[in-house]
Every structure is written in structure tokens, then in C-alpha cells.
Amino acid sequence: MPRLSYNANGLRNLTVEVAVEEVAEAGYDGIELSLHPAHIDPFTFTESDASVIRKALDRTGIEACCLAAGADNLLGEERFEPSLIHPDAAGRARRIDLVRRSVRIADTLGIHLINFATGKRKPEVDPEQARRWLVEGITEILDTTDSDVVLCMEPEPEFFLETNAAVAGLAHELSSPRFALAQDLGHCRVVEEDYLTSVEHHLPLTPVIQVEDIKGRTHHHEIPGDGDIDFVEFFRILRRGGYEGHVSVELYNHIEVYRHALRRSHEVLTAAAEAAASSASSASVDGN
């Protein structure tokens, strides 16, 4: 059975302590903590804040599997800006500083992965220049953080890097054990022609996977079971690939019905994982 987690950005109406408790009560193995003023403010975070989170994790017995560092309003009113490929050098420096802060917070909380993205390429920025800035920024972060925390880049529809293959190419260029791919199953469905093949092909580079359901190929996060994604086949792929990371539900747009989202997601994903395991067992018996 894969380890299921829930992204705390879907619980921003709660304190981070209560969010941990709600995720545990719903039966999850882990929580993906998220940078957000309501939970973890990267500019005011203290040891006292860390202590509250650690105690909640210890009390509930769940794991903080990842720190999501990509909330849309962390650096200003323009969503996701300034990014690592912003045309203003001072803006890029602010994003680099934020990711470095994320690494330090992850270290403080004992979290081994952070999740972030490229941001959008503005029309006046040449793609080759954007690529250079992206490589320079990530290299600077890696070189100036004395840490084992792995930077996991998430492909995002309409962002500069929006496919698994694009992030995999960047990983090959960087060639660092501290850089990996954070897959998002729903994003794959939106941007990839064969989303399940992409998931399987890039699994070796992937230590964490976010999931949500998708209707058609519209980028709107749906509760698992409310869209078209084949979760049974997804879990078959994870079994075949020997995936040992967390599967983290991301439903930032279901805050008003968070308890329903928590429980239905767990129910649907657990049933799909069990169906995948059952079909694998049947195939093994038939093969013998």
C-alpha cells in the first residue's frame, strides 16, 4: 500500500497544528506542509513555530513528507512572481532567497524534500535566457545551502517547464543528487499526450508525487473520483516501478469542504491502490 499524504495548502483555514491533526484523523500517513502565512511564513518562522509543528507530528505519528514552497502570493500580489526566470535580477534574487529559506525550514523540521516550480516566462524574456537564469538560480541555491534537502521541481501547466520531460532534461543538465522531479498526476493529464506513460517513464527521478483528479484536460483540481484519471492504473505503475515515496493529495481549491475532500480522497485512492494490488496478485497467480 503506498503512503498517502495531504497537502496542507488545502487546509489554510486551520492552524497548522489542527491541519496535522485533521490529516492524521482522516487516515493519512503523511502531510505535505506548505509555505503560507497561515501555516509557515518563511519570513517570520521561528524555533517556537517549529516546535509546535514537531510536537503535532510526534503526537499524531504522521510524517511531514515534503515542504511545498510555491504558494502564489509569498513574494507579492502578482501570482507566483518574481520567479527564478523573472527579467529583473533583484526579483530573481528574492525568489532564490525564498527557496534558500525553504531549505533551512525543511532542515529545521526534518523534512527531506521541497517542492517548487519555475514560474511563467514573460513575453520579453527569450527562452534561452530563461533557461540560463533557471540553471544559474538553482545552481546558486544548491551551492549556498549546506543541506541534504532535495529540491524537487514540479512541472506546472503554462509555466516555463510544464512537462516531466522538461524537468528531467534540466535534472540531466544540473546532474546533482539534490535535484529531482516532483510529479503532479493531474498536471500530467493536462499537458501530456499519454500521461500514464509519462508518469512511468519518469518514476526513477521522482521522490514525491502530487495527485488530484482532472475532468477532460482542464487544469482544475478535482477530488479523486470526480474526474477522468485512471487511479487504478496509476497505482499499478507505482507497484511495477517499486515507488516508495508519498502520494500527496493537492486540493487547495476545496478548503470550504476540506473534511469531505480529505476523507473522500483517502477512500478513493485507497480503493484504487487495493484494486491495483489485487489485479497484480491475480496476474501473478495466473502466470504460475
Side-chain angles (χ1 to χ4, degrees), residues 208-280:
V208 64
I209 302 177
Q210 292 183 335
V211 299
E212 63 279 336
D213 217 335
I214 294 289
K215 291 179 181 177
R217 297 181 70 177
T218 300
H219 185 202
H220 184 272
H221 290 215
E222 307 282 356
I223 296 172
D226 290 352
D228 308 320
I229 284 181
D230 187 344
F231 285 105
V232 175
E233 183 57 29
F234 167 69
F235 282 111
R236 289 193 188 109
I237 287 169
L238 300 192
R239 287 181 62 86
R240 287 199 299 269
Y243 179 74
E244 297 181 345
H246 282 256
V247 173
S248 182
V249 180
E250 186 182 22
L251 295 173
Y252 54 81
N253 53 345
H254 288 75
I255 293 173
E256 296 81 3
V257 292
Y258 73 88
R259 281 200 174 124
H260 169 69
L262 272 166
R263 283 158 177 74
R264 177 158 169 76
S265 297
H266 191 276
E267 174 187 311
V268 169
L269 295 176
T270 298
E274 290 175 349
S278 177
S279 63

Side-chain angles (χ1 to χ4, degrees), residues 96-139:
I96 289 169
D97 173 69
L98 176 63
V99 179
R100 282 196 295 228
R101 287 173 183 268
S102 304
V103 172
R104 291 196 294 270
I105 291 169
D107 269 330
T108 299
L109 294 172
I111 300 172
H112 302 297
L113 310 172
I114 70 166
N115 175 323
F116 70 123
T118 63
K120 295 182 178 182
R121 179 178 65 85
K122 292 186 176 294
E124 65 269 29
V125 176
D126 179 86
E128 292 185 3
Q129 180 62 72
R131 179 84 176 197
R132 285 193 292 273
W133 283 336
L134 183 59
V135 170
E136 289 170 4
I138 295 173
T139 299

Side-chain angles (χ1 to χ4, degrees), residues 3 12 22 39 80 88 107 109 113 119 157 179 222 286:
R3 295 180 291 171
R12 298 189 304 275
E22 288 278 358
H39 283 179
F80 305 112
D88 177 56
D107 269 330
L109 294 172
L113 310 172
F179 184 84
E222 307 282 356
D286 292 343

Side-chain angles (χ1 to χ4, degrees), residues 180-194:
L181 167 66
Q183 290 202 48
D184 186 303
L185 179 62
H187 295 175
C188 286
R189 174 64 178 141
V190 172
V191 302
E192 309 268 10
E193 290 305 317
D194 187 343

